Amino acid sequence: MEMEDQMESQKRRGVSRDDLISEQTGSLGCIGWFIVFLSSILTICLFPITIWFCLKIVQEYERAVIFRLGRITDRKAKGPGIFFIVPLTDSIVKVDLRTVSFDIPPQEILTKDSVTVSVDGVVYFRVSDPIASVANVTNADFATRLLAQTTLRNVLGTKNLSEVLSDREGIAHSMQTSLDDATDNWGIKVERVEIKDVKLPVQLQRAMAAEAEATREARAKVIAAEGEMNASRALKEASLVIAESPSALQLRYLQTLNTIAAEKNSTIIFPLPIDVMAHFMQK
């Protein structure tokens, strides 16, 4: 906490992270250098034995931060490859530079429009500054995980339910920017944030399904009504054409009889004009 407070105070005064690290890598003092000198003499005297304690190897994806009498020896981490240390005064901390991914546990979040949802996600990050990740925070990985959870809750708390469901990319980008800015002093680079799943309450799912079904039914009724209106207009135009030419009605009648006969029906109904029937009824 003292280290973080110091970093925060230095940041307020306009001092960069590199300047603060340079203060931490100051001189060891007369007593410190004297102890280092004695340790070096002892290492040289016992060289056949101490050589195995002096040589250190780090992998291509690792870097080593060297502490000499509790102080960081250099502003740049060692590695990859082989290097020497003074066994009695130096200690090393290896830092993995590979990208790490972790799942954000499902968070119960109250949106801006007072709807409770459960949201989870995944975060990808890596160590960009090994010295800052060791000297400025106790556990950079654990701290990043906790910060991702709180950032997810803070970002989604300012969004409506419709925005949470439709604007996942924007939410992920906002989370990435916030996490990257907050973890910069820890030497962490947040590469990517993704929203995995948004779980709604069962009652809300049913309400949304009923609303969607009602919307589809209303749209279907409107389409059916438009079809009926178009059909009535077509029938009106057809009746006007038939009224202009009486023979057209007879042709239409013959065409209907032809269609009925093609279906092999045993009963055929012959329509008779009302005027003809009225003449027989008068007799």
Side-chain angles (χ1 to χ4, degrees):
M1 292 299 296
E2 294 179 358
M3 182 65 67
E4 293 179 2
D5 294 340
Q6 184 180 4
M7 287 288 295
E8 198 66 31
S9 61
Q10 294 285 351
K11 187 176 181 179
R12 295 193 189 99
R13 293 182 298 187
V15 181
S16 64
R17 182 181 60 192
D18 294 337
D19 295 335
L20 182 59
I21 294 177
S22 63
E23 294 178 3
Q24 298 172 356
T25 58
S27 176
L28 298 176
C30 297
I31 298 177
W33 283 114
F34 179 73
I35 295 174
V36 173
F37 177 74
L38 292 180
S39 178
S40 301
I41 295 298
L42 182 60
T43 302
I44 294 173
C45 295
L46 301 176
F47 182 74
I49 301 176
T50 56
I51 184 63
W52 306 109
F53 300 96
C54 294
L55 294 177
K56 297 294 180 181
I57 300 175
V58 294
Q59 304 295 333
E60 181 68 28
Y61 54 83
E62 293 179 332
R63 296 296 183 270
V65 180
I66 301 178
F67 290 88
R68 177 167 295 163
L69 296 179
R71 286 184 172 271
I72 299 175
T73 58
D74 196 356
R75 295 179 61 182
K76 184 178 180 181
K78 298 292 183 180
I82 187 172
F83 56 92
F84 292 89
I85 63 172
V86 181
L88 299 179
T89 59
D90 294 355
S91 61
I92 65 171
V93 177
K94 293 183 179 180
V95 180
D96 196 329
L97 301 183
R98 292 176 294 183
T99 299
V100 179
S101 63
F102 65 89
D103 293 328
I104 302 177
Q107 304 292 312
E108 293 289 340
I109 300 169
L110 185 65
T111 61
K112 189 176 180 180
D113 49 355
S114 301
V115 178
T116 302
V117 295
S118 178
V119 184
D120 59 352
V122 60
V123 178
Y124 300 87
F125 73 94
R126 61 179 175 85
V127 176
S128 60
D129 189 344
I131 295 179
S133 66
V134 172
N136 295 344
V137 62
T138 304
N139 189 333
D141 181 86
F142 183 69
T144 304
R145 293 172 185 267
L146 294 181
L147 185 61
Q149 297 180 22
T150 57
T151 303
L152 177 63
R153 299 176 70 91
N154 294 336
V155 171
L156 293 183
T158 61
K159 303 291 184 180
N160 295 325
L161 179 61
S162 58
E163 295 175 346
V164 174
L165 296 176
S166 61
D167 191 20
R168 294 192 180 188
E169 293 184 0
I171 294 173
H173 180 70
S174 178
M175 282 190 59
Q176 178 182 352
T177 303
S178 300
L179 281 174
D180 199 19
D181 293 341
T183 58
D184 182 64
N185 290 333
W186 301 344
I188 299 296
K189 173 63 178 178
V190 179
E191 296 180 340
R192 191 177 183 85
V193 177
E194 292 291 342
I195 302 299
K196 292 175 60 178
D197 190 18
V198 179
K199 296 181 180 180
L200 303 177
V202 178
Q203 296 180 352
L204 182 60
Q205 293 180 12
R206 294 176 179 174
M208 294 179 66
E211 180 183 0
E213 184 178 0
T215 302
R216 288 193 297 268
E217 290 180 355
R219 189 180 298 113
K221 290 180 180 179
V222 170
I223 295 174
E226 291 178 353
E228 292 290 340
M229 181 177 63
N230 295 331
S232 63
R233 289 177 179 175
L235 290 174
K236 178 182 178 182
E237 294 176 358
S239 64
L240 293 177
V241 173
I242 293 175
E244 293 176 356
S245 177
S247 61
L249 180 61
Q250 187 67 21
L251 292 175
R252 180 60 181 165
Y253 166 67
L254 295 175
Q255 184 181 4
T256 304
L257 289 179
N258 186 25
T259 303
I260 295 174
E263 297 179 358
K264 297 181 180 180
N265 292 326
S266 59
T267 302
I268 298 177
I269 299 176
F270 292 91
L272 294 176
I274 300 297
D275 297 338
V276 176
M277 296 297 297
H279 179 71
F280 285 106
M281 291 176 66
Q282 289 177 1
K283 290 184 178 181

